[in-house]
Amino acid sequence: MSGSLIIAIVAAAVVSWLAYILSSVMKKEENPDPGPNRREPLSDEVLETKRLDRWLAAAVVFSGFLAISLPLYFLTEENRQESFVDAFDEEAVERGHHLIEEFACESCHGPGFVGGAASYVEKRSDISVSWAAPALDDIFYRYDTEEIRFWLVYGRANSPMPAWGLAGNGPMNDQQIDDIIAYLSSIQIPQEEALAKADTGVTVALNRLSNATASVELSVAAQEQLIGEIESAPALLPVVEEYLARAQSALDGAGEGLDTDDDGISDVAETTIAAVMAEAAESGLEFGGAAISAVALDAGNPESSFGVADRQAARTAVSSLNSLATNLRTTAGNQEQLLMRAQSGLDYLLEARAAEKWLVDTDGVADATFGGSSDDAGRAVGLFDAYCARCHTAGYSAGAAYTQEPGSGSLGPALWNGRATVQFLSADDMIDFIANGSELGKPYGVNGQGRGYMPGFGQVLTQRDLELIVEYLRGETLRGF
């Protein structure tokens, strides 16, 4: 629209408005209105008519409607507010689920949070271990909401559990932590199932104890293999680099030459890469637990492996060689330092194998504490390992080879050498403490000060199981000898 047309429209509008105002003024001059305050009042006959009665009747009806509807509205307000809360909680759970997936929490705590393992460098040995991560599908039976928030925000030092909250230098704000808590609350198993876990936990703990020596032997063998690989890296490196050079050269020239199946990789490249990978696989070359695998590449079929294009398969094969060469190059370049560290770790394992600090003689415990009852002693030892050792036995979560003497102390205090009887003058006091856990700032026992770290086990263990644990801890020996 041009500028002159706009000006014309505005001018016409102004003229029309002025004409309207002038017309209104002239009409008022012809029939002047005295105004509402100067008019003659209406008579009662005019005012008190059926029209007024109708308005009064309508007002009465409307007042009755308000008198009935407002109380009814407020009677349903509580349900309405509860529905808002439910909707908010559902949204929080959904957001928490997204955060769980984004930060891969189940990679450590297991699918469905039934418990899992995390990679961690054990500090006494400097060896990379698989650290047992606890189940979280029953955590609300052991901790209250604020205690769970603390662990999420600040993590657990000297373990794979990192800090997730901003206050602990983690990546999540308070709202995200709340959403994680909401999600965890939504996946809690029934208490009956939580109680039933005790039998499985005892069985697993006692099996670990009986297989501890074999487990340590495996750890020693794995460390010896690591040392052997470090020593072999300089010799293996040129072999792998030669395979890589041949395969990479073929891949780089894959766009040139005859391509029978028209898959973007030439027949020569497919044949060469397949031959190189087959030769490398037949050599039995292995490093860091990774072995080279042959790859199927058929020049007459664009997908020699079902669902995988030959071009992609060739790239993946060459990438695996490149990764292996990089690992060998790094290892060979730092061989002296890596060997020193690995040998130190082996020395630690050999000393652990000789010391057998993980060893517990349940028959000895039975004779010393349970009046010869092997069943009670076995269950007590199993319960302690399943529910208490994570915090009260150093190295327990890292595996048998790294486990120190039972009750040696870790995140929680040591419980050996009669410590339980020093802190708690009676078994009943100790049972009550284990059942309810500690509270921040609240005293317990003779001279204990609660920090909120100690969970309560009263909802996941029976009274008899609590009694067995206390009897074991207050007995003469935790190892049975």
Side-chain angles (χ1 to χ4, degrees):
M1 183 179 293
S2 64
S4 58
L5 181 58
I6 294 175
I7 293 173
I9 293 174
V10 172
V14 171
V15 171
S16 299
W17 178 249
L18 292 174
Y20 172 77
I21 293 175
L22 181 62
S23 174
S24 299
V25 171
M26 292 176 66
K27 286 181 179 180
K28 286 184 178 181
E29 290 178 353
E30 294 175 358
N31 300 299
D33 186 354
N37 60 326
R38 298 173 60 189
R39 296 174 189 162
E40 289 292 331
L42 297 175
S43 65
D44 291 343
E45 290 76 11
V46 175
L47 290 175
E48 297 177 2
T49 62
K50 291 183 178 180
R51 181 178 182 184
L52 177 61
D53 293 340
R54 285 196 299 269
W55 279 106
L56 290 174
V60 171
V61 171
F62 183 67
S63 298
F65 170 77
L66 291 178
I68 296 173
S69 62
L70 287 178
L72 290 177
Y73 176 85
F74 285 108
L75 285 174
T76 61
E77 179 67 11
E78 183 177 354
N79 292 334
R80 201 160 36 250
Q81 291 298 325
E82 289 178 354
S83 69
F84 293 153
V85 172
D86 292 341
F88 179 85
D89 290 343
E90 290 172 3
E91 292 172 1
V93 169
E94 184 177 354
R95 292 194 302 268
H97 189 203
H98 290 320
L99 289 168
I100 290 292
E101 292 179 335
E102 179 182 352
F103 291 97
C105 301
E106 289 178 304
S107 65
C108 292
H109 292 281
F113 291 96
V114 298
S119 179
Y120 184 67
V121 176
E122 203 276 330
K123 293 193 173 182
R124 291 181 180 82
S125 62
D126 207 20
I127 295 175
S128 180
V129 300
S130 182
W131 187 279
L136 301 181
D137 62 353
D138 60 355
I139 190 171
F140 278 84
Y141 295 116
R142 294 179 278 124
Y143 289 107
D144 64 29
T145 299
E146 290 308 310
E147 290 166 344
I148 294 171
R149 187 189 313 280
F150 175 86
W151 292 122
L152 287 171
V153 171
Y154 295 101
R156 176 178 166 179
N158 299 315
S159 84
M161 176 64 179
W164 292 107
L166 291 177
N169 295 322
M172 295 188 193
N173 58 34
D174 291 345
Q175 180 64 65
Q176 290 172 312
I177 294 294
D178 288 342
D179 292 341
I180 292 284
I181 293 174
Y183 176 75
L184 290 177
S185 177
S186 74
I187 64 167
Q188 297 300 288
I189 61 176
Q191 188 182 5
E192 294 77 10
E193 293 183 24
L195 282 166
K197 280 187 175 185
D199 291 339
T200 302
V202 168
T203 300
V204 171
L206 293 179
N207 285 340
R208 165 181 157 145
L209 188 60
S210 62
N211 295 322
T213 300
S215 174
V216 174
E217 291 296 341
L218 290 175
S219 297
V220 171
Q223 194 68 10
E224 290 174 340
Q225 181 180 353
L226 174 61
I227 291 173
E229 289 178 346
I230 296 173
E231 292 174 340
S232 68
L236 292 177
L237 178 58
V239 177
V240 174
E241 286 182 331
E242 192 269 336
Y243 288 139
L244 175 60
R246 289 162 55 194
Q248 186 68 60
S249 176
L251 185 63
D252 291 342
E256 301 175 0
L258 179 63
D259 185 2
T260 302
D261 53 11
D262 195 27
D263 60 356
I265 179 170
S266 68
D267 296 357
V268 172
E270 290 191 49
T271 302
T272 302
I273 293 173
V276 170
M277 297 306 294
E279 182 181 342
E282 290 174 2
S283 71
L285 195 152
E286 184 176 347
F287 184 82
I292 299 176
S293 301
V295 60
L297 295 173
D298 183 357
N301 186 352
E303 288 188 2
S304 302
S305 298
F306 180 75
V308 181
D310 283 358
R311 187 173 181 82
Q312 181 58 45
R315 288 175 174 171
T316 301
V318 175
S319 177
S320 68
L321 284 176
N322 190 34
S323 297
L324 180 56
T326 299
N327 290 339
L328 285 168
R329 200 174 295 118
T330 301
T331 303
N334 299 277
Q335 186 184 52
E336 183 177 351
Q337 298 94 315
L338 293 174
L339 271 177
M340 185 181 302
R341 176 181 173 182
Q343 186 60 53
S344 175
L346 179 60
D347 292 342
Y348 175 90
L349 290 174
L350 293 175
E351 291 177 4
R353 181 175 66 179
E356 295 184 323
K357 293 182 179 181
W358 65 83
L359 191 60
V360 175
D361 180 4
T362 55
D363 288 336
V365 172
D367 292 338
T369 304
F370 292 95
S373 175
S374 296
D375 289 342
D376 285 351
R379 187 167 183 84
V381 170
L383 286 167
F384 175 81
D385 282 358
Y387 290 90
C388 311
R390 173 184 304 281
C391 294
H392 294 285
T393 296
Y396 187 85
S397 295
Y402 312 92
T403 300
Q404 305 301 301
E405 294 185 21
S408 51
S410 182
L411 177 68
L415 300 175
W416 56 9
N417 298 330
R419 172 65 181 166
T421 59
V422 172
Q423 183 64 270
F424 297 96
L425 298 183
S426 72
D428 288 341
D429 287 345
M430 190 171 180
I431 290 172
D432 182 71
F433 177 71
I434 295 175
N436 296 295
S438 69
E439 296 181 31
L440 181 63
K442 184 176 179 179
Y444 65 87
V446 175
N447 51 18
Q449 175 87 8
R451 296 181 294 170
Y453 294 176
M454 170 73 180
F457 293 100
Q459 297 187 68
V460 295
L461 293 175
T462 65
Q463 179 69 19
R464 178 55 182 158
D465 283 342
L466 293 172
E467 292 170 355
L468 286 174
I469 291 174
V470 169
E471 192 172 354
Y472 172 56
L473 293 175
R474 298 176 72 85
E476 295 181 10
T477 173
L478 299 185
R479 301 188 70 187
F481 56 88

